[in-house]
Amino acid sequence: MSEEQTGSHDEHESELLKVRREKLRSILDGGGEPYKAFYADSDSIELAGDLHLKHEGIEPGGGSGVKVAVAGRLMGRRIHGKAAFADLQDSSGRIQLMLKEDVLGAEPFQRFDELDIGDWIGATGEVVRSRRGELSVLVESYELLSKSLRPLPEKWHGLKDREQRYRQRYLDLMMNEEARRVLEVRSKVMSGIRRFLDDRGFTEVETPMLQVLPGGATARPFVTHHNALDIDLFLRIAPELYLKRLLVGGYDRVYELNRNFRNEGISTRHNPEFTMLEAYVAFVDYRYMMRLLQELITSVVVSVNGSPEIEYAGRRISLEPPWREITMVDSLAEYAGVEVDISWEASRLAALAAEREVEVPEGAGPGWIIAELFEKLVEHQLIEPTFVLDYPEEISPLARRRAGAPGFTERFEILIAGQEIANAFSELTDPADQRDRFEAQARRKAEGDEEAHPVDEEFLLALEYGMPPAGGLGVGIDRLVMLATGCENIRDVIIFPHLRPRQGRS
């Protein structure tokens, strides 16, 4: 849009704002109430979607004899002499309102023309079908419930800007059916996960969001200060160490579906506040968690899409089990032509990374460098569902070592459409080994690694009371919803994503 067009648009909108405020003043001066406190008992208000289902059998031009109350936002209006038609939108969809002067009366019919697109209204009348076949409510009475003072974006031209859609999500949901679909799919994914786990005997729990130590993952935390206790606290980066305490306490199947916070970059796949599922099962290992995750993800996607097939980034991807398995080292050989061995010196692996233009942190060991090579050279190529096994111990401080494979752990990640969807491993239950791992991480932190795991003495104390063998998993819910909806930007599946603050107000 040119500067001239922008200026013209702003002037037009300013005039519309003025007109709407004048209408508001007129209502107030006339003793009216432009912002009602009540319309009807919510159970007595019919949703548009329900009306379409209940009355699909009405013939064009026919009536039902059923009178209903509806409420929603006025999204369109067409005046034809002594008849008018309007589109009313509620949370379930749209229903047409049919207004006739001989039914409403002359004055209410004329006053309907004074309403603005965007106003919230309630209406009562008989459910009918217009001669053109549109299910409608033949309005016998209506009232303004809430006055809209700002014009809505134009249907075809007003809400193209992606940033505006994120900043003003209410407009996005109001104007874009796709945005509402994504929100509904997300809700179904969450409820589907809970149903799946509850049916298998899991107990849902809640663990602290504010933690004395940020544990359970290697990530940079957000820090705050608690005045009454006079201590720094951290927004959690993961609930893992608290969920494992519950295994020590005697629970054998627990899960939490909630938010984590990591003070890191923002991208199409990362948001500083994100939703995770973490679940733990006593007496099993990572092989059991592989089967559980495969079934969980497939069943949830089928429940919301009706099929194990998804379409993502122009590709058709089948989630039909069984999924492929490959080790991290083998994947480097197969997809990048890079042969590596964790027994090599770090300098040799660093030189190999440099040849492939893969940056690695100073002081990174062999396992870390192999993981960086995998992430940069292989990850984006794994389109079909794939279990990538045997993650290096160096980047897996909470996972059990893999017997017969020095330097590796019983850990896997699930890659679908080139991105990590889930992470799981056999849990480390040996308190002495766990202390050694924590202290190695602490040395790394002392050398400047802000994401290294701290030594958590309270967790080590719990382990000393004995934790059963167990498997644990984590699923990125936002990325799972991206797959289920075909969205390629994480901000499209988070209702209110984080954005850089803007100056002023639109």
Side-chain angles (χ1 to χ4, degrees), residues 119-131:
D119 287 350
W120 286 86
I121 64 173
T124 61
E126 181 187 357
V127 180
V128 300
R129 193 172 296 279
S130 70
R131 291 189 178 89

Side-chain angles (χ1 to χ4, degrees), residues 67-88:
K67 293 188 178 182
V68 298
V70 293
R73 189 184 292 275
L74 186 64
M75 298 298 289
R77 179 179 50 204
R78 302 163 296 283
I79 307 294
H80 302 285
K82 296 187 177 183
F85 299 89
D87 299 319
L88 190 75

Side-chain angles (χ1 to χ4, degrees), residues 45-60:
I45 298 174
E46 294 275 2
L47 291 174
D50 292 340
L51 290 177
H52 283 286
L53 290 174
K54 291 177 182 177
H55 300 284
E56 60 182 357
I58 301 176
E59 297 293 331

Side-chain angles (χ1 to χ4, degrees), residues 257-319:
L257 191 54
N258 220 319
R259 296 297 182 89
N260 290 343
F261 307 85
R262 298 182 184 178
N263 195 358
E264 299 170 348
I266 292 178
S267 73
T268 57
R269 297 183 181 182
H270 298 88
N271 194 67
E273 178 181 1
F274 60 98
T275 304
M276 283 284 291
L277 163 70
E278 286 211 16
Y280 293 82
V281 183
F283 316 121
V284 305
D285 66 1
Y286 74 141
R287 285 284 170 183
Y288 176 89
M289 306 312 283
M290 289 173 70
R291 296 191 296 272
L292 184 70
L293 269 170
Q294 183 174 253
E295 187 179 353
L296 168 64
I297 292 173
T298 303
S299 67
V300 167
V301 170
V302 170
S303 71
V304 298
N305 284 351
S307 167
E309 283 200 350
I310 60 173
E311 185 167 338
Y312 191 84
R315 297 173 180 261
R316 297 292 298 179
I317 302 171
S318 174
L319 303 183

Side-chain angles (χ1 to χ4, degrees), residues 242-266:
Y242 284 92
L243 291 171
K244 288 180 179 178
R245 285 168 167 86
L246 295 177
L247 297 185
V248 173
Y251 282 87
D252 58 5
R253 287 176 173 245
V254 295
Y255 76 93
E256 183 166 8
L257 191 54
N258 220 319
R259 296 297 182 89
N260 290 343
F261 307 85
R262 298 182 184 178
N263 195 358
E264 299 170 348
I266 292 178

